[in-house]
Amino acid sequence: MFNKIIRRGHRKVSKSDGADYGYAPPGGGRSSGSVSTSNVVVNHASRGGALSNSGQLTTTMPAAAPLPPSGTIESLPLFRDVPVTERQNLFLKKLQICCFQFDFSDTLKMVREKEIKRQTLAELVDYVQSGSGKITESNQEEMVRMISLNIFRCLPPASHENTGSENVDPEEEEPYLDPAWPHLQLVYELLLRYVVSSDTDTKVAKRYIDHSFVLKLLDLFDSEDPREREYLKTILHRIYGKFMVHRPFIRKAINNIFYRFIYETERHSGIGELLEILGSIINGFALPMKEEHKLFLVRALIPLHKPKPIALYHQQLSYCIVQFVEKDYKLADTVIRGLLKYWPVTNCQKEVLFLGELEEVLEATQAAEFQRCMVPLFRQVAERALFLWNNEHIVSLIAQNRNVILPIIFEALEKNIQSHWNQAVHGLTVNVRKMFLEMDVELFEECQRQYAEKEARAKELEEQRQLTWQRLAAAAAQGG
């Protein structure tokens, strides 16, 4: 209960790629500094910034409108109640009302003004969505400014920052729900409608939906409110699809977020949502695949298997990985060796996740690539490989290479049958052993003979060791 109370306290809150970088429709700041690669700098949303002397682009927080005296905000007429010639001017006035910021943690403060703002935001959303009038360029600029004032804010501190405990499991943390969400949702909805509207000219809109704006959107993915991250995911998808000029920049900025998460913080609320966006982007990659994309797989996606909270985003990560292999089957060896590099040793739950992903990757693997990685694969995952035998494609690959694989896993099969505590594993082992026997009797008997010889040698060595200890003990007793 105490943690819940604490948690509700103060919370901080290029040229077009063309066909080179395809795009498929979507399927489904607590940083202490900036994340930078080349000329891309991702700063926390709460930090101001400008164009530095080196030409690096940093985020800048717009100045919020001061709170008006209570009772001074008045409702404006509806769009349908004024002449068409007056609607652009009315649109601007409504935007100005929505620039005022309120304290939503106090539900009894300025209730009337908050409701007027909420109704005004809803009217703006309806107006943009209806397409009843094309918005002037100056009003588009003011609209993006109003949106920026509302959504680009200091994110609240994470639960572990409030309590001072770094050992809090992210999976066990309750999601934080922003009290301002009834207003924020409408602001996000307005931005989404603006981006997807057929009336929005990208040549004009890109002046306001620029690199700085995109960076600040990406920074908000660290919000603990899942509703906000869902909107951000949808909006960034749409921006990526509509503003082709931003595509390389968005990919690089997402890379930077991943690098900092992997190698520094291991804490970020929006890794899953960012991976969902990338899943659609990868799905649209043109073939042959660019070297840039392969490097992204090796340097960012595969190392994402390392952080402890992988369970929070593993489903989306696995989808991205499999997309790469399905796009280019030659990447299977790279992926499987990468999985083995980060294979969990003492975490059973994480190991189950890896096994599921490994099965999906093997499903998309061709025989030649399988042969390249099968020896390290079955040496490291010998016992766990039993669980892959329900997949016909994988069984076929193993059968073709049984001369190499059976000697690797034979000992694990025998030891499972002799002493494994789990009945399910014991039963599965018996079935796999039988399949190998029926597959190649001669090979099976040869492996059995070698295993028996190894066991006999081990027994003999153990007997000699015991005999040596007995002699030493006897000699020590005589000397005493």
Side-chain angles (χ1 to χ4, degrees):
M1 179 60 73
F2 177 76
N3 286 340
K4 291 181 181 178
I5 295 171
I6 287 290
R7 227 174 269 173
R8 297 298 179 262
H10 277 67
R11 308 179 65 88
K12 77 178 182 195
V13 206
S14 140
K15 291 185 179 179
S16 169
D17 299 278
D20 287 344
Y21 303 108
Y23 172 72
R30 294 159 198 99
S31 59
S32 57
S34 61
V35 183
S36 63
T37 295
S38 184
N39 64 336
V40 181
V41 179
V42 181
N43 282 331
H44 187 274
S46 64
R47 288 175 167 76
L51 198 64
S52 67
N53 294 331
S54 62
Q56 291 181 327
L57 184 63
T58 61
T59 61
T60 304
M61 292 297 291
L67 276 177
S70 182
T72 58
I73 293 183
E74 296 296 334
S75 296
L76 295 170
L78 300 174
F79 284 107
R80 65 170 180 264
D81 294 337
V82 300
V84 175
T85 54
E86 294 295 320
R87 288 179 182 173
Q88 290 299 315
N89 189 41
L90 179 61
F91 188 89
L92 180 59
K93 289 179 179 178
K94 288 181 182 288
L95 288 175
Q96 291 168 346
I97 286 179
C98 296
C99 286
F100 291 115
Q101 306 293 294
F102 298 102
D103 178 10
F104 289 93
S105 62
D106 186 346
T107 57
L108 301 177
K109 190 176 181 181
M110 304 191 80
V111 177
R112 175 180 167 276
E113 287 80 5
K114 290 175 183 174
E115 180 57 21
I116 290 175
K117 179 180 177 181
R118 191 196 64 78
Q119 290 178 358
T120 305
L121 282 168
E123 291 168 21
L124 289 171
V125 171
D126 290 341
Y127 184 80
V128 173
Q129 187 171 5
S130 66
S132 54
K134 199 167 184 179
I135 308 168
T136 63
E137 287 188 29
S138 61
N139 276 356
Q140 288 183 51
E141 183 176 9
E142 286 302 308
M143 180 173 64
V144 174
R145 177 179 173 275
M146 182 276 289
I147 290 169
S148 300
L149 282 168
N150 281 276
I151 66 174
F152 298 143
R153 64 207 190 282
C154 296
L155 292 173
S159 304
H160 73 280
E161 292 175 325
N162 258 336
T163 60
S165 172
E166 287 290 340
N167 298 321
V168 178
D169 187 348
E171 292 183 67
E172 296 179 1
E173 293 178 8
E174 291 185 13
Y176 165 68
L177 302 178
D178 196 316
W181 183 246
H183 285 229
L184 282 173
Q185 180 180 12
L186 289 169
V187 177
Y188 276 119
E189 190 66 31
L190 178 62
L191 174 58
L192 177 60
R193 293 303 151 201
Y194 172 64
V195 170
V196 302
S197 173
S198 57
D199 291 329
T200 300
D201 184 348
T202 54
K203 291 181 181 178
V204 174
K206 73 180 181 182
R207 299 172 193 166
Y208 321 120
I209 308 293
D210 57 9
H211 284 180
S212 176
F213 186 91
V214 168
L215 279 178
K216 286 181 278 189
L217 272 185
L218 282 165
D219 208 26
L220 289 171
F221 273 84
D222 204 13
S223 168
E224 286 193 55
D225 193 323
R227 302 168 300 182
E228 181 166 21
R229 297 199 304 272
E230 192 66 23
Y231 259 101
L232 287 163
K233 180 185 72 177
T234 304
I235 289 167
L236 194 65
H237 254 132
R238 296 296 188 169
I239 290 175
Y240 190 92
K242 189 161 189 168
F243 296 81
M244 295 182 69
V245 68
H246 290 338
R247 291 184 179 182
F249 184 85
I250 291 172
R251 292 196 303 270
K252 185 174 287 187
I254 291 176
N255 272 8
N256 291 340
I257 293 172
F258 286 166
Y259 293 151
R260 187 155 199 273
F261 171 72
I262 296 165
Y263 300 110
E264 295 183 36
T265 65
E266 286 201 357
R267 279 191 175 272
H268 194 287
S269 300
I271 299 298
E273 286 80 6
L274 290 170
L275 285 168
E276 280 190 55
I277 296 170
L278 285 167
S280 291
I281 293 174
I282 295 164
N283 188 263
F285 280 164
L287 294 174
M289 199 176 293
K290 294 277 185 180
E291 192 63 26
E292 170 205 340
H293 305 325
K294 295 178 183 178
L295 286 174
F296 167 67
L297 169 68
V298 172
R299 294 177 179 176
L301 285 187
I302 291 177
L304 274 172
H305 290 84
K306 174 179 173 284
K308 292 178 182 178
I310 184 175
L312 295 174
Y313 57 82
H314 182 264
Q315 183 179 356
Q316 297 93 328
L317 175 60
S318 179
Y319 177 79
C320 289
I321 294 285
V322 174
Q323 284 286 305
F324 266 101
V325 178
E326 289 181 347
K327 281 273 179 184
D328 185 352
Y329 66 88
K330 291 181 180 178
L331 292 172
D333 177 50
T334 300
V335 166
I336 292 172
R337 288 178 184 273
L339 281 173
L340 294 179
K341 179 180 178 181
Y342 296 105
W343 197 271
V345 178
T346 59
N347 189 326
C348 295
Q349 291 178 326
K350 194 172 178 181
E351 196 167 29
V352 170
L353 295 177
F354 274 55
L355 282 166
E357 182 177 352
L358 178 61
E359 182 172 359
E360 288 190 59
V361 171
L362 288 173
E363 182 72 42
T365 301
Q366 302 294 317
E369 277 59 49
F370 180 75
Q371 288 173 356
R372 290 193 186 98
C373 63
M374 63 186 179
V375 171
L377 171 64
F378 281 90
R379 277 181 180 157
Q380 184 162 338
V381 199
E383 180 180 329
R384 272 75 78 191
L386 294 169
F387 297 99
L388 306 178
W389 281 81
N390 291 327
N391 189 304
E392 290 184 8
H393 179 71
I394 297 173
V395 169
S396 173
L397 291 173
I398 293 172
Q400 293 171 40
N401 299 277
R402 59 186 180 274
N403 289 330
V404 176
I405 293 170
L406 182 57
I408 295 173
I409 68 169
F410 190 86
E411 183 175 347
L413 294 175
E414 292 299 308
K415 287 184 176 179
N416 276 3
I417 290 173
Q418 292 169 17
S419 58
H420 202 285
W421 60 271
N422 188 300
Q423 286 300 313
V425 172
H426 185 275
L428 183 57
T429 305
V430 170
N431 291 337
V432 171
R433 188 178 186 275
K434 183 180 178 183
M435 289 174 72
F436 267 118
L437 178 60
E438 294 173 350
M439 195 183 292
D440 192 329
V441 175
E442 187 176 335
L443 174 64
F444 185 91
E445 289 178 346
E446 174 61 22
C447 289
Q448 196 170 39
R449 184 187 63 77
Q450 291 179 5
Y451 175 73
E453 288 179 359
K454 183 179 178 181
E455 286 292 289
R457 286 197 301 271
K459 186 178 180 181
E460 184 179 341
L461 286 171
E462 177 61 22
E463 289 174 351
Q464 288 177 358
R465 189 179 71 85
Q466 291 291 346
L467 185 59
T468 300
W469 275 112
Q470 288 172 12
R471 287 173 180 168
L472 288 171
Q478 290 176 0

